[in-house]
């Protein structure tokens, strides 16, 4: 069928050439040089096309039959598949990391201890505080005759209070030696060097009435104590009080705050 089509095409070319020859012979007398050149170019193009058509076509390349998957190609496929899986895992990991960053970004920021102290004592600039059971491990004047130990857990809170407020520490003692032990313990803990507290603001008395009198004379904004009777007596004169006690005392004023320790009141530090 291919040869038959080629013969038909050759016959068509011959007829077209004979037709052009007749026409050209009739038009030679009327055409100018440009028209003759155009016709000649057309003839050359036709001849060139005819010669190309007659040239033997190149043998078609045989398409090799698809071989079975070789080990090497299998390895490449496996590697490619592994790359796809790895890429998927990486993409999932990146999405997870991005989501975690967004969640962390919108999480409430935990305030620092200094911020907590300022927030809790925002309406107070002067603070009075008992030593026994609050700053010291000891809970009675009799124990101070033997030793005085600053509670390490409350030290950081104490130093922050001294930076923000005018702090006075006070305690009832039985002898002068107890005073020296208390001052030495505070000094060794760095209260006088790291904070804004000075030794003159550590007051001692021999009775509980004397301690109550100290507080009323200083007129603090805050008072911190472990004795519920004193907090009750000072309720009319002190705006804010913190009663450090494991149990809530009965009959205290509304403005008395209750907490197990000073650290818990300032955010469980």
């Amino acid at each position: 069928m291919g040869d038959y089509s080629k013969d038909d095409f050759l016959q068509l070319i011959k007829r077209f050439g004979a037709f052009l020859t007749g026409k050209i012979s009739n038009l030679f007398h009327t055409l100018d040089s440009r028209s003759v050149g155009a016709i000649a170019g057309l003839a050359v193009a036709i001849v060139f096309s005819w010669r190309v058509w007659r040239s033997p076509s190149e043998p078609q390349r045989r398409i090799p039959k698809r071989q079975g998957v070789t080990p090497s190609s299998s390895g490449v496929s496996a590697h490619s598949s592994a790359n796809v899986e790895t890429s998927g895992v990486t993409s999932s990991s990146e999405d997870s990391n991005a989501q975690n960053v967004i969640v962390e970004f919108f999480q409430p920021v935990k305030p620092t201890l200094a911020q907590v102290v300022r927030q809790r004592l925002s309406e107070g600039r002067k603070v009075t505080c008992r030593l026994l059971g609050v700053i010291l491990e000891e809970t009675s004047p009799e124990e101070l005759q033997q030793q005085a130990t600053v509670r390490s857990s409350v030290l950081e809170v104490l130093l922050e209070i001294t930076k923000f407020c005018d702090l006075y520490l006070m305690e009832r003692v039985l002898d002068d030696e107890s005073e020296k032990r208390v001052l030495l313990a505070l000094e060794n803990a760095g209260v006088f060097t790291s904070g804004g507290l000075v030794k003159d603001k550590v007051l001692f008395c021999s009775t509980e009435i004397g301690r109550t009198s100290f507080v009323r004379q200083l007129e603090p904004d805050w008072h911190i104590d472990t004795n519920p009777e004193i907090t009750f007596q000072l309720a009319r004169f002190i705006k804010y009080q913190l009663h450090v006690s494991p149990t809530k005392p009965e009959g205290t004023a509304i403005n008395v705050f209750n907490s197990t320790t000073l650290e818990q009141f300032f955010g469980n530090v």
Side-chain angles (χ1 to χ4, degrees):
M1 184 175 180
D3 295 337
Y4 178 76
S5 299
K6 185 183 295 185
D7 294 339
D8 290 343
F9 182 74
L10 292 176
Q11 292 296 329
L12 180 61
I13 292 297
K14 291 179 180 180
R15 292 176 184 177
F16 184 70
F19 174 77
L20 288 179
T21 302
K23 289 293 184 181
I24 290 173
S25 62
N26 294 330
L27 295 176
F28 267 133
H29 300 287
T30 59
L31 296 178
D32 55 8
S33 60
R34 292 183 179 179
S35 300
V36 173
I39 294 172
L42 179 61
V44 171
I46 293 173
V47 173
F48 179 77
S49 300
W50 178 70
R51 294 188 62 181
V52 169
W53 181 262
R54 290 195 61 183
S55 61
S57 59
E58 295 182 0
Q60 296 182 351
R61 295 180 179 179
R62 292 185 179 181
I63 300 176
K65 294 183 180 180
R66 191 166 184 176
Q67 300 292 333
V69 179
T70 60
S72 59
S73 61
S74 176
V76 172
S77 300
H79 181 68
S80 175
S81 176
N83 287 339
V84 172
E85 293 178 359
T86 304
S87 176
V89 172
T90 303
S91 177
S92 176
S93 177
E94 291 177 353
D95 293 342
S96 177
N97 292 336
Q99 184 177 1
N100 292 337
V101 170
I102 294 174
V103 171
E104 292 177 1
F105 180 78
F106 287 102
Q107 287 292 330
V109 179
K110 184 179 180 180
T112 62
L113 176 60
Q115 292 173 336
V116 173
V117 171
R118 289 174 180 269
Q119 181 181 5
R120 292 294 184 96
L121 303 177
S122 59
E123 298 186 29
R125 289 295 181 268
K126 183 182 289 186
V127 178
T128 55
C129 179
R130 185 181 187 181
L131 284 164
L132 287 173
V134 180
I135 307 301
L136 301 178
E137 296 283 358
E138 292 72 25
T139 57
S140 66
E142 288 75 17
E143 292 182 62
L144 292 180
Q145 292 181 308
Q146 302 297 325
Q147 63 181 9
T149 309
V150 177
R151 298 173 60 183
S152 58
S153 59
V154 80
L155 183 59
E156 189 177 2
V157 176
L158 180 65
L159 295 178
E160 289 297 336
I161 295 176
T162 61
K163 295 176 184 178
F164 184 63
C165 300
D166 188 15
L167 177 64
Y168 290 83
L169 302 179
M170 55 189 64
E171 190 49 64
R172 179 172 72 92
V173 293
L174 301 179
D175 51 36
D176 293 340
E177 293 298 323
S178 297
E179 293 184 19
K180 294 179 182 178
R181 289 188 184 92
V182 172
L183 292 174
L184 182 60
L186 293 173
E187 184 176 3
N188 292 337
V191 175
F192 300 129
T193 56
S194 302
L197 185 68
V198 295
K199 292 183 179 181
D200 292 339
K201 293 184 179 181
V202 182
L203 309 177
F204 298 97
C205 58
S206 58
T207 63
E208 292 291 271
I209 297 177
R211 189 155 58 84
T212 305
S213 178
F214 280 158
V215 176
R216 291 187 58 181
Q217 291 177 15
L218 291 170
E219 297 181 347
D221 301 299
W222 277 83
H223 178 64
I224 304 171
D225 211 300
T226 60
N227 191 330
E229 295 182 2
I230 291 181
T231 57
F232 180 74
Q233 294 173 10
L234 294 173
R236 296 176 296 169
F237 310 102
I238 308 302
K239 187 175 182 180
Y240 297 104
Q241 292 190 78
L242 173 62
H243 180 261
V244 178
S245 173
T247 59
K248 181 178 179 180
E250 298 294 335
T252 56
I254 296 176
N255 64 342
V256 176
F257 293 86
N258 300 282
S259 177
T260 302
T261 62
L262 189 65
E263 309 95 284
Q264 291 179 346
F265 177 73
F266 287 104
N268 295 318
V269 295

